[in-house]
Amino acid sequence: MIDRQRIETLAKQVVLPQKHLINGKHVGATDGGTLDVINPGNGQKLTTIADGTAADVNAAVVAAKSAFERGVWSRMPPAQRKKILLSFSDLVMAHQYELAVLGVRDNGTEIAMALKAEPASAASTIRFYAEAIDKVSGEVAPSAEGSLGLVLRQPVGVVGVIVPWNFPLMIAAWKIAPALAVGNSIVLKPAESASLSLIRLAELALEAGLPEGVLNVVTGQGSVTGEAMGLHPDIDVVAFTGSGVVGRKLLEYSAASNLKHIYLELGGKSPHIVFADTENLDRAAKAAANGIFRNSGQVCIAGSRLLVEEGVREELVEKIKTHAENYKVGDPLDVDTDIGAINSEQQLQKNLSFVRTALDEGANRVTGGARINEDSGGYYMAPTIFDNVAEDSRIAQEEVFGPMLSVMSFSDETQAVQLANSTNYGLAAGVWTSNLSRAHRMIQKVQSGVVHVNCYGGADITMPMGGLKQSGNGYDKSLHALDKYTALKSAWISLEN
Ligand code: NAD
């Protein structure tokens, strides 16, 4: 049961953090620059954050590297690291309302979803990797008599973490927690429009006992601070979630600097595939609607293409339309809101330009397609459905990252697979069918990092998450994520006299 009173009180009282957190201290930008933070719920200025410079990034990297080399965290006994991360997880849960309110105020996600997907998810992620610390070992190789081969897992050093604005706590925790668990130091750069909850998260890590300099947060513009991180010679690994455009830049920065490893979690154009033999079309319709409209479609795995078998197309689209038109879209801090705000004016305009494109391309508007609640000053858009979308059109191929569903139909399984795989992306997919063999065939043939069967979303921390094709490389979540933050070192020991 969500505590409404607490949310209302916190919305008035919560302290908005404004500065970087470097080496355990709050500091402003070296040149004094600030960026305005806009509340997307009403379009008004909420506060400012430090507009970081390359010098600020350097200060954070120096702090992280020094902490790493001094061994205050990297050589701390694993059991002690575990204890600190467990208490970090507990503190995140104890502050869940504060973190959720902070996050919602600058990113616009509906609070009911934010409470689950943000602090609660971050806390369980931190706990998962804390518990892994004393269970992941190196290896003894099966070498011949006379020699001994050891494979050691070592932390990589300084990890740069760059995250987007849609689920800042959840996504940052997927990277920070495994990187910290194995002993690395971190420089974290939040998105310009979702920094507040991440600064607070790092404060809680300090409170839990994480030594100063191990987790540093630098806010500011991606083109300045993000670029400086990508080019920095003392950052060993960058773990990134965001757009393919920026992902490509990071690969260039790496090539132009120290060949740091770049791990990318990028966008998607995920197919939600519904066969006519689906047992419960109502459930499929609800999942399809939630899968594209919650958080205003600002979800990397959003099921933005509905591929439906011809026989049930009309019925299914009608059911999804009913959901779309019944959502309560509005104030992100209202517990009864189903869909909050678009993150920024710029993103809202981008979404609306996709509506114009869809109409120009000849798609049929089923519902939505316009800005709503404009009187509030906030950035809201009606859940939007386009039918008769052509396979090669822009709204079938490009990620909108907004509440917009493109509907296409198929006549058989072969065509469903062909349509599903017809974009450059490969992040997620959903398949609805009551035929078990078909479900398994689809799991094998659909090119995506995850295939949901008779559901959409909800895979927990035990499952890896990553994209195929241009949706990225590397994996967040699960024990596989530890591979990104550890280097394997081989030791070959002669046992001869
Ligand atoms: P974005 O790429 O614009 O920004 C992401 C981060 O990169 C931000 O912190 C930004 O400041 C920073 N950045 C911007 N320019 C940079 C540069 N030149 N160098 C380094 N860093 C720079 O993405 P966004 O608009 O914040 O987020 C939306 C995108 O993120 C969508 O494509 C979405 O699909 C993707 N996403 C993917 C996943 C996933 O797990 N695969 C999860 C969430 C979001």
Side-chain angles (χ1 to χ4, degrees), residues 6 19 80 95 97 110 114 139 161 192 201 204 211 217 219 252 290 342 396 425 428:
R6 206 154 159 208
K19 295 188 170 172
Q80 211 174 326
H95 290 262
Y97 276 87
E110 52 275 11
E139 299 161 21
V161 173
E192 294 83 331
L201 183 79
L204 294 174
V217 182
T219 59
E252 285 171 16
N290 283 341
I342 308 289
Y425 292 109

Side-chain angles (χ1 to χ4, degrees), residues 162-167 171 174 189-192 220-227 230 240-247 249-250 253 265-268 299-301 347 399 401 427 465 471 476:
I162 304 178
V163 291
W165 40 261
N166 57 338
F167 292 104
I171 293 171
W174 287 346
K189 196 209 95 57
E192 294 83 331
Q221 302 169 61
S223 55
V224 179
T225 49
E227 180 179 295
F240 172 78
T241 295
S243 63
V245 174
V246 175
K249 287 186 184 172
L250 284 164
Y253 302 149
E265 297 283 338
L266 306 175
V299 178
C300 55
I301 63 161
Q347 184 65 35
E399 183 184 46
F401 216 56
L427 193 59
M465 158 142 183
S471 287
D476 277 338

Side-chain angles (χ1 to χ4, degrees), residues 162-219:
I162 304 178
V163 291
W165 40 261
N166 57 338
F167 292 104
L169 288 172
M170 175 173 77
I171 293 171
W174 287 346
K175 300 174 193 304
I176 287 172
L180 287 177
V182 290
N184 296 288
S185 294
I186 293 172
V187 176
L188 165 66
K189 196 209 95 57
E192 294 83 331
S193 52
S195 296
L196 306 180
S197 58
L198 287 178
I199 304 172
R200 187 71 187 114
L201 183 79
E203 290 173 355
L204 294 174
L206 278 176
E207 200 179 318
L210 195 73
E212 292 176 355
V214 175
L215 175 58
N216 306 278
V217 182
V218 178
T219 59

